[in-house]
Amino acid sequence: QVQLVESGGGSVQAGGSLRLSCAASRSTYCMGWFRQAPGKGRTGLTTITGAGSTTYADNVKGRFTISKDNAKNTLYLQLNSLKPEDTAMYYCAADDVRCGSWSVANYAYWGQGTQVTVSS
């Protein structure tokens, strides 16, 4: 089992930045970030392996950056140039087997989420 605890969400104005964190109870092969807006499904944003290989969804490339501190088992997501449409609950996910997928079913472990609200 892996426990994931997100933090760092909040309310910002459009154009602002936030840094999300996800503390994991142990290391895993893959970690990633997803988000879910009200009334919509959970969508993948970015993933990273323990070796540092990353993938990004097209709609966040150049604005969001994923990083990981392996010594602390902590995942980060830097959110820049935020837009009102980025408003959502942001979730940390992890898996021991595969990486790079946007399918929710491919991640065995999930955090409780942290809310990001962007006002215009």
Side-chain angles (χ1 to χ4, degrees):
Q1 277 291 340
V2 178
Q3 283 73 51
L4 302 173
V5 180
E6 301 100 331
S7 61
S11 297
V12 297
Q13 290 192 327
S17 298
L18 282 174
R19 190 193 195 203
L20 308 183
S21 299
C22 173
S25 58
R26 65 165 174 84
S27 64
T28 58
Y29 171 64
C30 179
M31 296 188 77
W33 290 98
F34 286 68
R35 70 184 179 190
Q36 187 167 13
K40 297 189 177 181
R42 194 169 298 190
T43 59
L45 301 174
T46 178
T47 66
I48 188 169
T49 66
S53 178
T54 60
T55 58
Y56 288 92
D58 288 342
N59 61 328
V60 301
K61 281 180 182 177
R63 296 194 301 126
F64 294 0
T65 303
I66 192 171
S67 61
K68 190 169 182 285
D69 185 332
N70 288 330
K72 296 181 179 179
N73 288 331
T74 300
L75 181 72
Y76 303 99
L77 183 65
Q78 179 68 41
L79 311 174
N80 294 330
S81 302
L82 283 163
K83 306 173 183 179
E85 52 264 43
D86 293 318
T87 294
M89 186 72 78
Y90 283 68
Y91 294 92
C92 174
D95 197 79
D96 290 318
V97 177
R98 59 183 67 84
C99 206
S101 169
W102 301 137
S103 173
V104 171
N106 285 343
Y107 294 85
Y109 310 109
W110 291 87
Q112 81 289 349
T114 186
Q115 178 69 38
V116 172
T117 302
V118 184
S119 59
S120 57

